[in-house]
Amino acid sequence: MEILENYLSYASAEKGLSMNSVESYEFDLKKFQNFLTSKEKDFISFSRTDIIDFIETLRDKGYSLSSICRLMSSIKGLCKYLIIEDLRKDDPSESLKSPKRWERLPKSLSIVDIRAFLESSLSQASDAISVRNHVMFELMYSSGLRVSEIISLKLEDVNLEAGFLRVMGKGSKERIVPVNLRAVEAIKQYLVHQRLKILKKKKSPFLFITNRGRPMTRQRFWQAIKELGRNLGIQISPHVMRHTFATHLLEGGADLRSLQKMLGHSDISTTQIYTKVTAERLKQVYSKHHPRA
């Protein structure tokens, strides 16, 4: 346990990783640590075979490729640290290649489905908390934010008159993201009529808050979006909402560079996956409607 704590301190202080990144590393490596404990191994004694067995276990449990890639990245970072600290002489992850991150195209909803989801969210917004959730859903589809970005938004980050947000993304990189008129109006109504009801005389710098005046957790937001989707028979998650935002923008004629900036991708190759998504949709439409397809 001490090795893990020291590594997380190293990742934060010396590598300068953000709090969200360090929390993700901790979550991943505790999962790996529990697996090693079941095999009577620890961070000093595990082998390349142990890593492979761990990855196979994740696959059997239905973990997505993106989750497995993130876990492997966490393990690789740990291995480098163990060598730097002279706790190991070898790197058991050195010859392991991560599975292709985008082996499967990201899922996105149709315009009909996303409209049904947001309309249902609005119709069920009967109290301050459900209104808050609806506004968050509307904003996520409007601006393609990550979960960590939307829950950490502060009042000072929102310029409703100009129609944009100041977002702190991965690696503490700041970007400006536009907000559509529907989301702007939803935020205004939430601020005027609902936010103070949730706060109950408390104070908080955050835009979206809980009854305790704190920002929502990623897990709670994930649960809220999944629950509503399940009631509608729609498979949706924060990632799907973000992918839907990107796909619909490209289908509407947005250029790739602008989309890259809005999504906060450091590498445009990450953004290019959405061109494959839209091409795949075109093929589906063609196959469905062309008389000789």
Side-chain angles (χ1 to χ4, degrees):
M1 201 65 173
E2 185 179 352
I3 292 175
L4 177 56
E5 291 174 356
N6 291 341
Y7 171 61
L8 295 174
S9 297
Y10 162 82
S12 176
E14 297 193 34
K15 293 187 70 177
L17 296 183
S18 68
M19 185 181 299
N20 283 335
S21 295
V22 173
E23 286 177 356
S24 294
Y25 273 42
E26 181 178 15
F27 180 80
D28 293 343
L29 292 173
K30 280 185 176 179
K31 196 182 297 289
F32 184 47
Q33 186 177 48
N34 290 337
F35 174 80
L36 292 175
T37 300
S38 70
K39 297 185 70 174
E40 298 183 353
K41 299 282 187 74
D42 56 24
F43 285 145
I44 304 298
S45 62
F46 72 89
S47 65
R48 180 176 183 274
T49 301
D50 292 323
I51 300 176
I52 294 172
D53 288 346
F54 177 59
I55 297 304
E56 289 300 323
T57 300
L58 297 177
R59 283 176 174 165
D60 291 342
K61 290 181 177 179
Y63 277 66
S64 66
L65 282 173
S66 58
S67 295
I68 292 174
C69 285
R70 194 192 71 195
L71 281 152
M72 285 190 67
S73 176
S74 298
I75 293 171
K76 284 176 178 289
L78 172 68
C79 290
K80 288 183 175 64
Y81 168 78
L82 293 174
I83 291 174
I84 290 172
E85 294 297 310
D86 205 26
L87 296 171
R88 291 189 65 134
K89 300 297 182 185
D90 64 317
D91 182 352
S93 70
E94 187 174 15
S95 60
L96 291 176
K97 293 183 179 180
S98 297
K100 291 181 180 178
R101 176 145 195 166
W102 295 110
E103 190 172 298
R104 291 182 297 180
L105 297 179
K107 293 179 180 178
S108 62
L109 299 178
S110 67
I111 293 175
V112 172
D113 280 346
I114 192 64
R115 183 177 293 151
F117 176 84
L118 292 173
E119 287 176 354
S120 177
S121 170
L122 178 59
S123 68
Q124 295 181 37
S126 57
D127 57 31
I129 295 297
S130 56
V131 170
R132 177 204 64 191
N133 292 349
H134 168 71
V135 176
M136 294 178 80
F137 301 152
E138 194 76 64
L139 181 58
M140 179 166 269
Y141 177 57
S142 162
S143 304
L145 303 183
R146 300 179 177 94
V147 182
S148 58
E149 294 168 348
I150 199 167
I151 64 175
S152 59
L153 277 176
K154 295 182 178 179
L155 293 171
E156 64 185 22
D157 298 327
V158 182
N159 189 326
L160 296 177
E161 298 309 314
F164 70 80
L165 306 173
R166 185 178 63 209
V167 178
M168 192 63 70
K170 284 187 175 181
S172 298
K173 293 180 181 177
E174 186 178 286
R175 71 184 191 277
I176 300 299
V177 180
V179 185
N180 66 31
L181 291 176
R182 188 184 297 271
V184 166
E185 188 57 34
I187 294 171
K188 284 181 178 179
Q189 294 299 316
Y190 161 75
L191 288 174
V192 172
H193 300 293
Q194 307 299 336
R195 187 172 179 274
L196 291 177
K197 291 181 182 178
I198 299 174
L199 277 174
K200 295 177 182 176
K201 297 183 179 180
K202 300 184 186 75
K203 291 185 178 181
S204 174
F206 294 98
L207 175 61
F208 299 113
I209 36 80
T210 65
N211 289 322
R212 297 182 178 181
R214 299 173 183 171
M216 284 181 76
T217 64
R218 283 177 286 185
Q219 292 82 359
R220 184 66 195 97
F221 183 76
W222 187 90
Q223 289 169 356
I225 199 170
K226 291 284 284 186
E227 183 177 347
L228 178 59
R230 188 163 51 244
N231 293 339
L232 294 170
I234 296 174
Q235 289 189 334
I236 188 170
S237 68
H239 287 303
V240 170
M241 185 80 88
R242 181 169 154 88
H243 296 327
T244 301
F245 159 83
T247 303
H248 289 179
L249 269 186
L250 274 183
E251 289 177 343
D255 66 275
L256 210 57
R257 285 290 178 187
S258 297
L259 182 60
Q260 178 192 4
K261 289 182 179 180
M262 283 185 272
L263 290 171
H265 289 160
S266 57
D267 190 337
I268 198 167
S269 63
T270 308
T271 319
Q272 285 172 331
I273 183 61
Y274 295 106
T275 62
K276 297 179 182 179
V277 175
T278 53
E280 192 67 27
R281 283 197 172 187
L282 285 175
K283 286 194 290 184
Q284 291 173 1
V285 171
Y286 177 85
S287 298
K288 182 177 180 180
H289 298 288
H290 195 285
R292 297 177 72 84

